[in-house]
């Protein structure tokens, strides 16, 4: 498969790129800064230089043409302010989805956040973030041209992955290593039967491949 990842230099994306490249997939990661390219190459991915906050739909679609799947793993990051929650966590996600439609790439996997909700209340930066992610998720759900899956991890950690997770429509709060989020994403990309599902993810007792197969059968 050829898989294009938005936010290619993110902590989850780099882990995902390594997993996909190791299993023989062709991976491209969209990055904002040229100096990030070496990290992607080391992970086995092709760096694509493009700023999703200023690019046109056609420019992003050009990156996606010929891909079998697209993964949105971009984010403004915890140090960013309110404005970039709108331009990245919402705006870039909408742009990437529209570009996938234009490029004819149906399989679309999104890294969202537990608690994402366009109607979430509050004025703190994290509240704005949850609204932005929720609005982006709602927009993607409205696109019949995409076979989307939305993944909403719990609190992210840098602990070593266990390969054991809980993946359900509603898991309740919990933590999850970024290693395991990447492992689940790699399985989801390759499991189109999960299209149309919004899934929460926390640490658990079920092997990743079994967890994904289980939700795919629902």
């Amino acid at each position: 498969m050829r898989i294009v990842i938005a936010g290619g230099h993110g902590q989850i994306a780099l882990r995902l790129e390594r997993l996909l490249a190791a299993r023989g997939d062709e991976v491209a990661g969209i990055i904002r800064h040229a100096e990030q390219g070496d990290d992607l190459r080391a992970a086995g991915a092709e760096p694509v230089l493009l700023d999703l906050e200023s690019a046109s739909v056609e420019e992003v679609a050009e990156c996606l043409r010929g891909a079998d799947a697209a993964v949105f793993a971009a984010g403004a990051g915890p140090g960013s302010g309110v404005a970039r929650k709108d331009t990245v966590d919402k705006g870039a996600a909408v742009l990437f989805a529209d570009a996938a439609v234009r490029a004819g790439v149906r399989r679309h996997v999104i890294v969202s956040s537990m608690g994402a909700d366009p109607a979430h209340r509050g004025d703190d930066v994290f509240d704005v973030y949850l609204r932005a992610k929720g609005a982006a998720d709602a927009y993607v759900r409205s696109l019949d041209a995409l076979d989307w899956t939305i993944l909403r991890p719990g609190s992210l950690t840098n602990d070593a992955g266990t390969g054991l997770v809980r993946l359900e429509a509603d898991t309740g709060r919990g933590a999850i290593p970024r290693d395991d989020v990447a492992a689940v994403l790699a399985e989801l990309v390759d499991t189109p039967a999960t299209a149309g599902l919004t899934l929460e993810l926390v640490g658990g007792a079920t092997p990743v491949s079994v967890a994904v197969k289980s939700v795919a059968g629902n």
Side-chain angles (χ1 to χ4, degrees):
M1 294 177 71
R2 176 172 172 80
I3 299 153
V4 178
I5 302 171
H9 195 257
Q11 294 188 68
I12 291 172
L14 285 168
R15 289 167 166 84
L16 176 59
E17 286 154 6
R18 284 191 287 270
L19 292 175
L20 296 174
R23 77 182 190 191
D25 289 326
E26 181 183 342
V27 191
I30 297 175
I31 54 174
R32 294 180 64 204
H33 304 293
E35 59 268 25
Q36 297 171 335
D38 286 345
D39 290 337
L40 268 74
R41 294 184 191 96
E46 166 201 347
V48 176
L49 190 61
L50 190 67
D51 186 346
L52 293 176
E53 288 181 272
S54 60
S56 67
V57 172
E58 185 53 41
E59 286 173 324
V60 183
E62 191 59 35
C63 298
L64 284 163
R65 286 197 174 91
D68 299 293
V71 178
F72 185 82
S80 60
V82 167
R84 295 198 68 228
K85 304 307 182 192
D86 190 61
T87 58
V88 179
D89 294 296
K90 178 184 175 184
V94 168
L95 174 70
F96 195 62
D98 285 341
V101 172
R102 184 170 296 194
V105 181
R106 290 200 62 94
R107 187 72 182 116
H108 199 82
V109 179
I110 300 166
V111 183
S112 183
S113 175
M114 191 173 290
D117 181 352
H120 180 84
R121 295 186 177 187
D123 299 318
D124 290 341
V125 173
F126 192 66
D127 296 321
V128 176
Y129 167 76
L130 290 177
R131 277 198 297 276
K133 294 296 281 186
D137 292 352
Y139 182 80
V140 171
R141 286 194 192 106
S142 75
L143 299 175
D144 292 338
L146 295 182
D147 296 328
W148 53 264
T149 303
I150 296 170
L151 183 65
R152 292 179 167 174
S155 301
L156 298 171
T157 76
N158 286 325
D159 296 339
T162 66
L164 300 173
V165 300
R166 182 177 178 192
L167 180 70
E168 298 170 13
D170 182 7
T171 61
R173 297 283 173 178
I176 182 78
R178 288 179 172 87
D179 287 350
D180 290 332
V181 177
V184 169
L185 288 169
E187 289 283 339
L188 289 175
V189 164
D190 208 24
T191 312
T194 59
L197 299 179
T198 300
L199 301 165
E200 293 185 349
L201 174 67
V202 295
T206 305
V208 167
S209 60
V210 176
V212 172
K213 285 184 176 68
S214 178
V215 294
N218 289 342

